[in-house]
Amino acid sequence: MNWYQLSVKEIFHKLNTSDSGLTEEEVKQRLTQYGPNKLAEEEKISKIKILLHQFTSPLIYILLIAGVVTVFLREYIDSGVIFAVVILNAVIGFFQEYKAEESVRALKRMVVPKARVLRNGKEREINSEELVPGDIVLLASGTRVPADLRIIHAIELRTDESLLTGESLPVEKTYHALKEENLIPGDQKNMAFMGAVVVNGRAKGVVVETGGKTVLGSIAREVKEIGTVKAPLQEKIHGFAKAIGFIVLGASVALFFVGILIGESAKDMFMTAVAAAVATIPEGLPIVVTIAMAVGVARMARQNAIIRKLPAVETLGSTTVIGSDKTGTLTKNEMTVKLIYDGKHTYEVGGSGYEPEGEILHEGLPINLKERKHLAHVLRIGLLCNESNIYEEEGQYKVDGDPTEGALIVSAMKAGLHTEEEKEKYQQIAIIPFESDRGYMATLHKHRGKKVIFVKGAPEKILDMCAKAIENEEVDKKEILHIASEFAKEGLRVLAFAYKEAPDELEDLTCKEVECRDVESGLVFSGLQGMIDPPRPEAIQAIDDCKRAGIRVVMITGDHAVTARTIARMLGIADNNSEVLTGKKLEEMDDEKLFEKVTHVSVFARVSPQHKLRIVQQVKKHGDIVAVTGDGVNDAPALKAAHIGVAMGKSGTDVAKEASDMVLTDDNFASIFNAVKEGRIVFDNIRKVTFFLIPTGIAAILSILGTIILGVPIPYVPAQLLWINLVTNGLQDVALAFEPGEKGTIERPPRDPKEGIMNRLLIERTILVGLLISAGVVYNFMTALNEGVSLEKARTVAVTTMVFFQFFQAWNSRSELQSVFKISPMSNPFLFYSMIAAFLAQLSVIYVPALQWVFRTEPITTDEWLQILIVSATVILVVEIDKWMRRRKLMYPKTIT
């Protein structure tokens, strides 16, 4: 129902109510019909269901099978480690999923507990849950709107809807019907929405929607319906695990039957196939992924980014599009005067926000206010014709009152005017508050025995009231309006300032209805001030950095198109020719058309929460990895629908924070860029771990197959395979999760979202390394057998060769392209010391009698050690050659085919 289009009379008729409100009997009937005025109760998810859901990943299935098999093999240490990994993953996942319920609870906290209503013609206070459509609600300054109201009477009413619509300034309200079609909530000037705050004035409104049918209720419903968005890494791990599962199963079955065909016993081959399967499965991968992301969380926390959901760490690294709210995210949500015209000259004002830091410049040079009396007069009127205050709290300057008036106070302070001193010189006697129908505000002051009236308001209105300009010149309305228009083209909100001397006997400013004869004629035009909620300086740099990193930044705001375009231009998101898509156009556009638009439109203005959600969904359909930032209730559905939602920690609402994956503690867009870098490092490290783990598993199966085909005994017993798995994978894979970022991480473009954990380079190198390791193991094993040593000793040589191959492989894994010889061993001390620990563990297996008995090993000679080191070191040589060729190909792509 478009309530804003109906007249008050039509509203009363439609809702069967009147100016005196409902009767108690009518309220009871309607409570039964419409239900209480509260957001729909969230259906509680069963804790058992959440817990069971944690065991539905293919990799977890593989781990559980591996755990059962190792129990069957009586390898209780391995099974204990595997089950510990499964339980740890389940616990982390359980708490993440359980927290999701908080999104709707946070929305409920925005609903006011009390409301003032008229019932049976009498004013009374009730619980807001008891409100029903047709109730007459009374609003006053400082209260929160308890339901969606159609305003039927208003005096100076302005509401702060920034958390619902993204509008940065309080919205002036009226009670007249609006005839336009498809108006978004932010443009429905005769409506007050649940959750908005009354900043100024008072009003009477009729309840038209309650509970889940309100704008706030629809946001709550969308947040609930969106559900949990799977992080790209979760999908990649899911696909990777499935592929590994099939490969391992197929290879193990093939191994079993090949062994049977050449005469091995079924029992021995079954045990070998199972052991090879366990050795090949990268059961360390889930825990290392978790650790890598946890390391990323700690690093991001130091960059003012708090991660609420672990997979968000990696998602940030793969982000291709950031959809950002404007107000409070890219800007400070603090109005700032940027241009001043004093009737003669135009001045630029430095600084941003409410902090009174910044110079006033004329033609690029700082001014001396004592030499600029006209400028001082404009600033003085803005400072004193004012009902607001600037104060400092915890090192931050804040405004008590209207943001526009706060900006005027700050511009005067920047010029050197002192608020208290000026108020003392020009004592205020009377005031006419701003009223939209009137279009201006006026104050009467006493100064040096004389009286003066200061006025500020819309340029057109003030000029109509002016008789002359400064120094008794004629008012050039055309020129002044042209300057005001140029200010407005810059996205500035423009106010005009004027004054007049008043008779000594004047003690008050009187008005008859909206006409104030003392003020509305004979004014002297003083000047203009243009203000805007300016971009954060650090956001400009961050967006430039995003471009270098191949990330597109899109502005999605509830603010007006002109303001949005101006800010986007200042930030480098758009230029003067860029298309700005408004909410009104979006209403007329189907998803197919919007799907085409989102590829090139970077500024969306006057959008509603539903529009934000549609934009995010269409960008995702292009295969982009989408991060969305925001701080208001209006951002919550889009935050939850995006791959990663980023909320503001200082200015953000509970709703936005609960719907998000990450919270910025400093509300700084620049912190997102730093977090993106850490996210890329996390994914790089997950890839490094994968490349470290997979070749050994492949080599284990290939070396067994090779020896079976050659007609010699297999090179390891099951216990030795599990030992290789434990020693080589046990510490180094975890250590690789702590790798520092490589040079140039952030300069490269985002990886293709369709690209899996293993890219083409790593797949090719994994095959190469897997074949090399298996060939090296078989070669050393056959050499030992040909020299006449016992089978146990030959197997000891084979196992040790495999272990040392993996030591060198750990170093290879530290970079896809950079030479291992250019990476400091101590840049990752954890890896360095883990390799020493693994080496000592391998020595103990070879030389400690008790372990020799368990793992069926024998001591090896110096010559055998030398051969093991030479053969296993070939993996460094081969991978270094591969890296060199690939680096050369990147440097000279046209000369190398």
Side-chain angles (χ1 to χ4, degrees):
M1 175 66 70
N2 288 335
W3 297 104
Y4 67 88
Q5 293 182 313
L6 304 180
S7 68
V8 173
K9 192 175 178 182
E10 288 172 320
I11 294 274
F12 282 165
H13 177 72
K14 202 96 179 167
L15 294 170
N16 194 19
T17 187
S18 70
D19 198 37
S20 58
L22 301 171
T23 65
E24 291 301 326
E25 191 58 42
E26 286 172 326
V27 170
K28 283 180 185 174
Q29 288 172 0
R30 294 185 190 200
L31 264 175
T32 307
Q33 182 183 349
Y34 297 105
N37 177 38
K38 60 181 183 179
L39 302 184
E41 289 292 334
E42 179 76 352
E43 186 183 332
K44 292 276 176 79
I45 302 170
S46 160
K47 289 181 182 177
I48 298 295
K49 278 185 185 175
I50 295 176
L51 189 61
L52 291 175
H53 186 249
Q54 309 312 312
F55 296 94
T56 56
S57 157
L59 204 57
I60 297 299
Y61 296 152
I62 293 172
L63 285 173
L64 289 170
I65 293 165
V68 170
V69 168
T70 48
V71 168
F72 181 70
L73 292 171
R74 297 185 181 181
E75 297 294 334
Y76 299 119
I77 293 172
D78 263 22
S79 59
V81 169
I82 292 167
F83 287 127
V85 167
V86 172
I87 292 164
L88 182 62
N89 274 313
V91 169
I92 292 168
F94 174 83
F95 282 110
Q96 282 176 11
E97 207 167 313
Y98 189 68
K99 270 187 173 181
E101 286 191 75
E102 285 298 309
S103 291
V104 175
R105 290 179 197 165
L107 276 165
K108 290 175 188 170
R109 288 197 284 275
M110 285 199 69
V111 181
V112 290
K114 298 286 182 184
R116 297 199 71 78
V117 297
L118 283 177
R119 287 198 177 156
N120 293 321
K122 293 179 182 176
E123 188 177 326
R124 52 182 291 201
E125 190 173 69
I126 63 165
N127 286 330
S128 63
E129 288 187 5
E130 296 170 21
L131 283 174
V132 293
D135 257 326
I136 303 298
V137 174
L138 304 173
L139 298 176
S141 183
T143 61
R144 204 183 277 273
V145 181
D148 282 4
L149 311 178
R150 166 67 163 85
I151 297 162
I152 58 174
H153 181 69
I155 300 172
E156 307 293 326
L157 182 69
R158 285 184 295 155
T159 62
D160 180 355
E161 297 175 352
S162 61
L163 299 179
L164 288 163
T165 66
E167 172 74 76
S168 53
L169 289 168
V171 181
E172 292 172 18
K173 295 294 183 179
T174 181
Y175 53 86
H176 304 295
L178 305 170
K179 294 304 174 190
E180 289 95 333
E181 297 285 339
N182 300 323
L183 290 185
I184 64 166
D187 288 334
Q188 296 174 22
K189 304 294 186 187
N190 55 10
M191 296 287 293
F193 300 104
M194 179 191 269
V197 178
V198 178
V199 174
N200 186 70
R202 56 186 188 275
K204 191 189 287 185
V206 59
V207 176
V208 292
E209 301 289 3
T210 59
K213 291 190 175 180
T214 62
V215 170
L216 188 66
S218 68
I219 294 172
R221 189 168 59 254
E222 282 165 3
V223 170
K224 179 184 171 185
E225 286 169 0
I226 289 163
T228 305
V229 177
K230 231 181 188 182
L233 181 64
Q234 290 171 313
E235 292 177 350
K236 287 182 175 70
I237 291 285
H238 188 88
F240 184 66
K242 200 180 280 185
I244 289 291
F246 283 123
I247 291 167
V248 169
L249 186 65
S252 298
V253 169
L255 186 63
F256 176 77
F257 282 110
V258 168
I260 296 294
L261 287 172
I262 63 165
E264 294 284 342
S265 74
K267 183 186 175 185
D268 285 350
M269 282 317 301
F270 175 75
M271 294 299 284
T272 301
V274 166
V278 172
T280 309
I281 291 169
E283 70 266 29
L285 190 58
I287 191 65
V288 175
V289 166
T290 303
I291 290 168
M293 290 193 289
V295 170
V297 166
R299 287 174 179 171
M300 286 180 187
R302 291 195 287 272
Q303 305 276 7
N304 299 309
I306 305 299
I307 300 297
R308 292 185 66 251
K309 297 167 188 173
L310 211 52
V313 178
E314 182 277 330
T315 311
L316 265 171
S318 56
T319 298
T320 55
V321 175
I322 299 175
S324 179
D325 184 31
K326 176 186 74 70
T327 308
T329 307
L330 293 169
T331 67
K332 284 189 166 186
N333 197 13
E334 296 177 0
M335 293 298 283
T336 307
V337 172
K338 301 306 289 183
L339 291 174
I340 303 172
Y341 173 66
D342 69 352
K344 296 284 185 183
H345 306 289
T346 301
Y347 303 87
E348 302 86 41
V349 184
S352 66
Y354 297 135
E355 193 172 352
E357 297 292 329
E359 291 184 307
I360 295 180
L361 308 173
H362 175 55
E363 295 179 349
L365 298 171
I367 57 97
N368 181 348
L369 195 65
K370 289 176 183 176
E371 299 169 3
R372 306 273 178 173
K373 63 176 183 177
H374 300 320
L375 173 63
H377 210 57
V378 178
L379 293 166
R380 183 174 289 114
I381 297 171
L383 176 68
L384 299 175
C385 186
N386 201 307
E387 291 187 275
S388 302
N389 291 299
I390 292 288
Y391 65 97
E392 191 176 359
E393 184 178 271
E394 295 176 359
Q396 280 194 313
Y397 285 88
K398 297 181 180 179
V399 64
D400 178 15
D402 188 284
T404 302
E405 293 192 327
L408 296 174
I409 296 170
V410 173
S411 69
M413 291 168 74
K414 285 176 180 175
L417 294 180
H418 300 284
T419 308
E420 295 308 317
E421 198 177 297
E422 293 297 321
K423 283 182 178 179
E424 188 65 36
K425 285 181 188 174
Y426 293 82
Q427 290 182 16
Q428 191 183 105
I429 304 167
I431 183 170
I432 299 172
F434 180 85
E435 191 172 318
S436 52
D437 290 342
R438 199 178 286 129
Y440 66 85
M441 173 187 173
T443 51
L444 176 63
H445 300 266
K446 187 160 56 176
H447 175 62
R448 293 180 179 174
K450 293 184 178 181
K451 289 180 181 172
V452 63
I453 295 170
F454 291 156
V455 186
K456 75 166 189 279
E460 296 84 353
K461 181 68 179 176
I462 297 297
L463 286 170
D464 285 343
M465 294 155 59
C466 288
K468 56 184 178 180
I470 49 175
E471 297 179 351
N472 289 316
E473 292 178 6
E474 190 180 335
V475 179
D476 188 345
K477 289 187 180 180
K478 190 176 178 183
E479 174 64 16
I480 293 166
L481 288 174
H482 172 71
I483 292 168
S485 173
E486 290 299 308
F487 280 18
K489 283 178 186 174
E490 294 292 314
L492 303 179
R493 184 186 184 194
V494 186
L495 290 177
F497 302 85
Y499 70 97
K500 70 186 273 191
E501 289 188 6
D504 291 343
E505 64 272 13
L506 189 66
E507 291 295 332
D508 199 6
L509 297 175
T510 55
C511 299
K512 190 176 180 183
E513 293 183 356
V514 294
E515 188 182 347
C516 307
R517 287 184 183 175
D518 296 325
V519 176
E520 294 186 0
S521 62
L523 295 180
V524 180
F525 176 77
S526 184
L528 304 169
Q529 291 197 57
M531 66 203 69
I532 198 168
D533 177 17
R536 294 170 176 269
E538 60 273 19
I540 298 170
Q541 181 61 48
I543 287 167
D544 188 52
D545 291 338
C546 283
K547 284 180 183 174
R548 285 192 295 108
I551 300 165
R552 187 162 76 101
V553 180
V554 176
M555 182 192 288
I556 310 171
T557 178
D559 220 332
H560 293 279
V562 175
T563 309
R565 189 200 299 274
T566 302
I567 296 293
R569 194 178 67 241
M570 292 164 84
L571 287 162
I573 293 173
D575 57 36
N576 287 327
N577 300 318
S578 299
E579 183 179 358
V580 176
L581 206 56
T582 62
K584 201 165 185 180
K585 289 179 186 172
L586 280 169
E587 280 294 325
E588 298 160 4
M589 199 177 284
D590 59 20
D591 283 349
E592 197 174 316
K593 184 71 176 168
L594 181 57
F595 178 78
E596 294 171 18
K597 287 281 187 184
V598 294
T599 57
H600 60 272
V601 175
S602 293
V603 183
F604 297 87
R606 296 308 280 166
V607 294
S608 67
Q610 289 78 14
H611 297 149
K612 284 191 178 191
L613 184 55
R614 279 181 67 200
I615 293 162
V616 170
Q617 287 168 337
Q618 295 311 312
V619 174
K620 282 170 67 179
K621 278 186 184 176
H622 281 280
D624 282 298
I625 303 299
V626 186
V628 170
T629 77
D631 59 355
V633 175
N634 60 317
D635 300 313
L639 284 173
K640 197 167 182 191
H643 292 105
I644 175 162
V646 184
M648 302 296 118
K650 286 182 180 176
S651 61
T653 58
D654 286 348
V655 180
K657 289 175 192 172
E658 291 297 339
S660 71
D661 304 281
M662 182 174 96
V663 179
L664 300 181
T665 57
D666 59 352
D667 285 16
N668 191 339
F669 184 87
S671 296
I672 299 170
F673 179 73
N674 295 327
V676 166
K677 183 179 178 182
E678 293 299 337
R680 289 189 177 186
I681 292 169
V682 166
F683 190 78
D684 285 353
N685 289 352
I686 290 168
R687 272 192 165 161
K688 289 169 186 177
V689 171
T690 308
F691 176 56
F692 169 71
L693 291 173
I694 302 300
T696 314
I698 292 172
I701 288 181
L702 289 178
S703 55
I704 292 169
L705 274 171
T707 52
I708 288 171
I709 291 165
L710 290 170
V712 295
I714 59 174
Y716 341 86
V717 295
Q720 289 171 339
L721 273 174
L722 293 170
W723 173 251
I724 291 167
N725 203 25
L726 183 67
V727 171
T728 58
N729 300 354
L731 290 173
Q732 288 97 309
D733 54 1
V734 173
L736 283 169
F738 290 85
E739 275 292 301
E742 292 182 52
K743 193 178 178 182
T745 301
I746 202 63
E747 276 77 27
R748 67 177 187 237
R751 66 179 180 278
D752 185 345
K754 298 185 182 100
E755 190 175 271
I757 288 177
M758 297 282 279
N759 59 6
R760 183 176 172 179
L761 182 155
L762 289 183
I763 291 169
E764 289 172 359
R765 197 173 284 168
T766 294
I767 294 167
L768 176 69
V769 170
L771 288 168
L772 179 66
I773 293 175
S774 56
V777 168
V778 171
Y779 172 77
N780 275 359
F781 179 64
M782 294 287 288
T783 302
L785 286 176
N786 291 337
E787 288 174 356
V789 302
S790 65
L791 179 58
E792 281 73 19
K793 187 163 187 175
R795 281 176 171 162
T796 304
V797 169
V799 169
T800 308
T801 303
M802 178 71 96
V803 167
F804 273 81
F805 261 125
Q806 198 69 330
F807 283 171
F808 293 124
Q809 171 63 1
W811 288 105
N812 282 336
S813 304
R814 296 189 69 189
S815 176
E816 285 183 22
L817 293 171
Q818 193 177 1
S819 169
V820 69
F821 300 108
K822 291 187 176 179
I823 302 172
S824 166
M826 295 309 293
S827 62
N828 185 349
F830 189 12
L831 178 63
F832 183 77
Y833 293 120
S834 72
M835 290 182 70
I836 292 172
F839 173 66
L840 294 174
Q842 181 63 19
L843 286 181
S844 63
V845 160
I846 297 170
Y847 296 108
V848 174
L851 293 174
Q852 286 175 344
W853 178 76
V854 172
F855 292 102
R856 300 175 205 174
T857 58
E858 289 184 7
I860 50 182
T861 64
T862 305
D863 287 346
E864 287 162 343
W865 268 114
L866 190 61
Q867 184 173 332
I868 289 167
L869 287 170
I870 291 168
V871 170
S872 57
T874 57
V875 77
I876 291 265
L877 179 65
V878 168
V879 172
E880 281 297 307
I881 292 168
D882 183 49
K883 285 180 180 180
W884 177 79
M885 289 175 67
R886 290 179 190 274
R887 283 197 304 271
R888 190 170 167 77
K889 193 172 182 180
L890 286 172
M891 289 169 69
Y892 310 107
K894 291 180 181 176
T895 57
I896 297 176
T897 56

